[in-house]
Coordinates of all heavy atoms in Angstrom, one line a residue:
S10 N -9.9 -4.2 6.4 CA -11.3 -4.7 6.2 C -11.4 -6.2 6.7 O -12.4 -6.8 6.6 CB -11.7 -4.7 4.7 OG -11.7 -3.3 4.3
G47 N 0.0 -1.5 15.7 CA 1.4 -1.2 15.5 C 2.3 -2.4 15.3 O 1.8 -3.5 14.8
I88 N 6.2 5.4 3.7 CA 6.0 6.6 4.5 C 5.4 7.7 3.7 O 5.4 7.7 2.5 CB 7.3 7.1 5.1 CG1 8.3 7.4 4.0 CG2 7.9 6.0 6.1 CD1 9.6 8.0 4.5
L96 N 13.3 13.0 3.8 CA 12.6 11.8 3.2 C 13.7 10.9 2.6 O 13.6 9.7 2.7 CB 11.6 12.3 2.2 CG 10.4 13.0 2.7 CD1 9.6 13.6 1.6 CD2 9.5 12.0 3.5
E153 N -5.3 10.2 -13.1 CA -4.4 11.1 -13.7 C -3.1 11.1 -13.0 O -2.0 11.2 -13.6 CB -5.0 12.5 -13.9 CG -4.0 13.5 -14.5 CD -3.6 13.1 -15.9 OE1 -4.3 12.3 -16.6 OE2 -2.6 13.7 -16.4
N208 N -13.4 -13.2 -4.6 CA -13.2 -11.7 -4.8 C -11.8 -11.4 -5.3 O -11.7 -10.5 -6.2 CB -13.4 -11.0 -3.4 CG -14.8 -11.1 -2.9 OD1 -15.7 -11.3 -3.7 ND2 -15.0 -10.9 -1.6

Side-chain angles (χ1 to χ4, degrees):
S10 297
I88 60 174
L96 293 171
E153 180 60 20
N208 293 340

